[in-house]
Amino acid sequence: MALLTILFFLDKRLNLVKQDVQVLFLFLFIIVYGGVFYGFDSSFNAALYFKEVLTILLGGLMYFGTRYFLAKYGIQFFVRFSIYAYGFILFLGVIELLAIAGLLPMGIKEVLNMLLSGKHHERIQLATMEPSWGARTLIFSMLIYAFYGNKY
């Protein structure tokens, strides 16, 4: 996304619109407000503040990268790409369900979990570190895949 953000600002056809300026001012406000708030706090933790600033900056990179991607390729390409991503998530979910049911060796599930998230749980976790997020991802992925799968 960072490379797409760089391309966003280098592309002469894309201009900053009012919404982009508002987002930039929001990020600036959050960073300055956090700095002032932490400046008056007696237990100021500079490392924590810089982590928060880094998170805000990464969010800005994702915003402008996504905006550039959508402006360049359109929403249909994004939806088709999302369907393939959801298909991969559903594939992981089916493998994990089969392993939990005992139809596949549990070692396959463990290897996939360790490769994709670095942790292993006995429940469905997909590519996330937390099984509850894995279950939410699987549920919402199935709904989106079923809705868009027939349209594109």
Side-chain angles (χ1 to χ4, degrees):
M1 281 297 168
L3 293 176
L4 290 176
T5 303
I6 292 169
L7 291 174
F8 174 81
F9 285 108
L10 294 179
D11 194 345
K12 301 295 183 218
R13 294 175 289 143
L14 294 175
N15 298 322
L16 287 177
V17 295
K18 182 180 177 184
Q19 176 183 349
D20 298 336
V21 175
Q22 289 173 339
V23 168
L24 287 173
F25 276 121
L26 175 67
F27 290 156
L28 182 65
F29 173 76
I30 291 171
I31 290 170
V32 170
Y33 180 76
V36 169
F37 178 74
Y38 279 128
F40 289 114
D41 189 9
S42 62
S43 61
F44 175 70
N45 186 350
L48 181 62
Y49 174 69
F50 289 119
K51 279 184 184 179
E52 291 176 4
V53 169
L54 181 64
T55 304
I56 294 293
L57 294 177
L58 288 175
L61 291 177
M62 290 179 65
Y63 169 77
F64 286 107
T66 303
R67 188 171 176 283
Y68 175 78
F69 183 84
L70 290 175
K72 185 146 180 88
Y73 298 109
I75 191 73
Q76 274 73 24
F77 182 80
F78 179 75
V79 169
R80 269 188 256 123
F81 179 76
S82 297
I83 288 172
Y84 294 128
Y86 295 137
F88 176 71
I89 290 171
L90 290 175
F91 174 74
L92 286 176
V94 168
I95 288 178
E96 289 195 28
L97 283 173
L98 292 175
I100 290 171
L103 300 174
L104 284 177
M106 189 60 85
I108 294 173
K109 177 186 178 322
E110 292 172 1
V111 168
L112 282 174
N113 289 342
M114 291 303 288
L115 286 174
L116 296 173
S117 68
K119 285 187 175 181
H120 170 66
H121 296 281
E122 297 299 321
R123 299 178 286 166
I124 295 175
Q125 79 185 60
L126 304 175
T128 64
M129 294 181 74
E130 177 63 35
S132 64
W133 281 101
R136 289 180 194 143
T137 303
L138 187 61
I139 290 169
F140 289 116
S141 296
M142 286 190 288
L143 294 174
I144 293 170
Y145 186 76
F147 179 73
Y148 286 116
N150 295 328
K151 291 189 174 194
Y152 297 102

